[in-house]
């Protein structure tokens, strides 16, 4: 056996991928990086700001300061603060001098409303986790395993072809058989290709993914509208007139009809609402971009695996409308590219293929590895 054939055997045996580790199933990412960022910001930001607001409330004590009459005792002043904080009703007069009242209760429940916002932002993630993630996990595990196996099958097929070519007494006859086998698609392993083709006719994953983004977009828009409503109606009024002449105090003559009060926490709530609103407005384009990713195929990943004889979706134009489960799976395959061991090797072979002068002699990974195995001296040139 010549030195080149010995070197080719070592090269091909080294090209085989090792058996996948058992940790692959645990390491799969079932969220896209942009979706993970959205979850972290939309849920974490209101929770963080609410915790700061509660911490300030516990440290500062009273959230309201009322200017009680000078003849009030300390207990009466404390009662005034408590009563006005419990009611939070502004008593004023309109342009015609008529008495009007305005409730400021939205300020009191504002921290709790942000907690509700955080829960709402977490709902799309729960929908994806329990409705789509289990099926997606099974699909990714099977497809990644089959892609790596298809790569190994191709390498083993090249090893066998090399041995058959070395034992063949008629090189021209060998290449005729090889071309006929390729025409009749004997080198293909159709399980993976058919599975991916079937995924083009399924729409469960894409429906849930679009629904997730629509819900997130709806909650972001609703939160921004809620904050705009607060700013237009309440967040411009840090002082109000309070009335404590109710109940047993209604007939007391020494108690004034209205007592001016000031909200101590008003500026803090303004900063919190502006922070949440501005960040959520900036996140809306990201949500729209995530949904629009499904409008086109990720052909970069597919084109690399077109080198395998078992993968022929692009060259046979088998891709249909991108709004299907296969496109979602391709997005998550790209996010789990580190688990796809064969991709890096095929990507390197693809780069060498692009740099090769005689590209017409290299169709698939079988042709490329056949050339590396030293068979190019006997393969007839087209």
């Amino acid at each position: 056996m010549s030195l080149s054939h010995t070197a080719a055997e070592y090269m091909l045996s080294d090209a085989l991928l090792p058996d996948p580790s058992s940790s692959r199933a645990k390491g799969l990412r079932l969220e896209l990086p942009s979706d993970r960022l959205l979850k972290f910001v939309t849920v974490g930001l209101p929770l963080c700001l609410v915790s700061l607001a509660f911490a300030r409330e516990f440290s500062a004590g009273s959230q309201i300061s009322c200017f009680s009459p000078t003849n009030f005792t300390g207990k009466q002043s404390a009662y005034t603060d408590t009563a006005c904080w419990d009611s939070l009703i502004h008593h004023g007069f309109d342009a015609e001098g008529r008495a009007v009242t305005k409730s400021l209760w939205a300020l009191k429940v504002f921290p709790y409303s942000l907690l509700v916002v955080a829960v709402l932002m977490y709902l799309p993630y729960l929908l994806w986790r329990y409705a789509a993630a289990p099926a997606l996990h099974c699909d990714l595990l099977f497809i990644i395993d089959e892609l790596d196996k298809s790569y190994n099958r191709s390498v083993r097929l090249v090893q066998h072809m090399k041995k058959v070519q070395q034992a063949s007494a008629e090189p021209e006859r060998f290449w005729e058989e090889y071309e006929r086998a390729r025409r009749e698609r004997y080198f293909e392993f159709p399980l993976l290709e058919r599975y991916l083709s079937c995924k083009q006719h399924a729409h469960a994953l894409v429906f849930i993914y679009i629904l997730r983004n629509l819900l997130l977009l709806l909650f972001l828009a609703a939160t921004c509208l809620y904050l705009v409503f607060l700013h237009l109606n309440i967040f411009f009024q840090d002082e109000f007139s309070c009335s404590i002449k109710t109940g047993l105090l209604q007939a007391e003559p020494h108690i004034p009809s209205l007592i001016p009060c000031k909200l101590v926490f008003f500026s803090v709530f303004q900063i919190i609402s502006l922070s949440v609103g501005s960040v959520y407005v900036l996140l809306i384009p990201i949500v729209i971009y995530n949904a629009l990713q499904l409008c086109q195929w990720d052909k970069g990943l597919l084109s690399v695996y077109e080198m395998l004889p078992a993968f022929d979706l692009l060259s046979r134009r088998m891709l249909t409308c991108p709004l299907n489960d296969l496109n979602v799976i391709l997005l998550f395959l790209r996010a789990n590219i580190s688990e796809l061991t064969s991709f890096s090797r095929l990507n390197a072979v693809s780069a060498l293929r692009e740099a090769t002068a005689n590209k017409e002699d290299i169709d698939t990974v079988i042709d490329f590895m056949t050339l590396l195995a030293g068979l190019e001296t006997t393969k007839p040139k087209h």
Side-chain angles (χ1 to χ4, degrees):
M1 182 179 294
S2 66
L3 182 61
S4 63
H5 289 163
T6 305
E9 278 194 357
Y10 279 105
M11 183 274 297
L12 289 174
S13 63
D14 220 17
L16 288 172
L17 299 177
D19 292 332
S21 60
S22 59
S23 62
R24 169 181 284 179
K26 300 179 180 179
L28 289 179
R29 299 180 180 91
L30 301 179
E31 274 193 297
L32 297 177
S34 56
D35 292 331
R36 193 179 302 114
L37 174 65
L38 284 172
K39 182 186 70 174
F40 177 78
V41 176
T42 55
V43 178
L45 180 63
L47 290 179
C48 178
L49 295 179
V50 165
S51 63
L52 294 177
F54 282 137
R56 188 193 182 283
E57 179 180 350
F58 293 141
S59 62
S62 178
Q63 301 298 306
I64 193 172
S65 178
C66 294
F67 301 93
S68 304
T70 56
N71 59 344
F72 274 27
T73 63
K75 289 185 177 180
Q76 288 174 327
S77 298
Y79 173 80
T80 301
D81 291 348
T82 303
C84 291
W85 173 247
D86 289 341
S87 64
L88 271 184
I89 296 178
H90 171 61
H91 296 264
F93 300 92
D94 57 11
E96 299 178 357
R98 291 177 297 184
V100 293
T101 58
K102 180 180 180 180
S103 176
L104 302 177
W105 255 76
L107 290 172
K108 194 170 185 178
V109 301
F110 177 68
Y112 304 98
S113 65
L114 288 185
L115 291 178
V116 174
V117 168
V119 172
L120 289 177
M121 295 300 172
Y122 197 68
L123 290 180
Y125 166 72
L126 291 179
L127 172 68
W128 178 258
R129 179 179 179 181
Y130 291 104
L136 177 65
H137 183 269
C138 296
D139 288 336
L140 289 176
L141 202 59
F142 172 76
I143 292 173
I144 290 175
D145 189 54
E146 281 299 314
L147 286 174
D148 287 347
K149 285 182 179 178
S150 297
Y151 172 84
N152 276 349
R153 290 179 191 130
S154 300
V155 175
R156 291 191 179 98
L157 183 57
V158 172
Q159 290 175 330
H160 179 70
M161 287 174 56
K162 182 180 69 66
K163 292 179 181 179
V164 172
Q165 193 272 342
Q166 291 173 4
S168 176
E170 302 179 8
E172 295 293 335
R173 179 70 179 272
F174 168 80
W175 287 113
E176 290 177 3
E177 291 292 328
Y178 166 68
E179 293 296 338
R180 185 180 66 84
R182 285 196 58 191
R183 287 194 303 270
E184 298 180 7
R185 302 171 66 86
Y186 289 154
F187 294 144
E188 299 193 5
F189 310 98
L191 175 62
L192 176 61
E193 184 177 299
R194 291 180 181 177
Y195 185 82
L196 295 179
S197 299
C198 289
K199 284 298 174 181
Q200 293 189 86
H201 304 290
H203 301 87
L205 292 178
V206 70
F207 174 76
I208 298 175
Y209 188 77
I210 292 177
L211 180 61
R212 170 185 178 170
N213 285 278
L214 287 179
L215 285 177
L216 188 57
L217 190 63
L218 176 63
F219 293 151
L220 288 173
T223 303
C224 293
L225 291 177
Y226 168 68
L227 296 176
V228 169
F229 168 78
L230 290 182
H231 276 275
L232 293 179
N233 292 273
I234 297 174
F235 276 178
F236 64 90
Q237 186 172 0
D238 60 341
E239 298 180 357
F240 67 100
S241 298
C242 174
S243 175
I244 61 173
K245 297 191 69 171
T246 57
L248 297 176
L249 301 179
Q250 189 171 4
E252 294 294 332
H254 67 282
I255 295 179
S257 58
L258 295 177
I259 297 176
C261 296
K262 183 177 179 64
L263 299 171
V264 179
F265 58 87
F266 189 77
S267 59
V268 176
F269 280 7
Q270 278 186 322
I271 294 174
I272 291 176
S273 62
L274 287 175
S275 302
V276 173
S278 57
V279 171
Y280 279 10
V281 168
L282 293 177
L283 291 180
I284 289 177
I286 300 179
V287 178
I288 297 175
Y289 170 76
N290 284 349
L292 292 179
Q293 285 186 102
L294 299 175
C295 295
Q296 61 180 0
W297 291 101
D298 184 8
K299 294 186 178 181
L301 181 65
L302 293 176
S303 61
V304 171
Y305 280 93
E306 281 290 305
M307 301 178 67
L308 293 179
F311 202 87
D312 207 15
L313 288 175
L314 279 181
S315 59
R316 294 174 62 194
R317 297 181 180 180
M318 297 175 65
L319 297 181
T320 58
C321 175
L323 290 176
N324 52 60
D325 287 359
L326 177 59
N327 204 5
V328 177
I329 291 173
L330 290 178
L331 289 178
F332 282 89
L333 279 177
R334 178 69 71 176
N336 290 278
I337 205 68
S338 59
E339 301 293 334
L340 200 54
T341 314
S342 57
F343 178 80
S344 58
R345 302 199 180 186
L346 283 176
N347 202 26
V349 174
S350 177
L352 291 174
R353 175 187 177 186
E354 293 297 326
T356 304
N358 298 324
K359 296 181 181 179
E360 65 274 5
D361 293 333
I362 305 175
D363 273 343
T364 65
V365 71
I366 290 183
D367 296 320
F368 187 84
M369 291 184 177
T370 303
L371 293 177
L372 289 182
L375 303 182
E376 73 277 8
T377 55
T378 57
K379 181 178 179 180
K381 300 297 182 181
H382 298 288

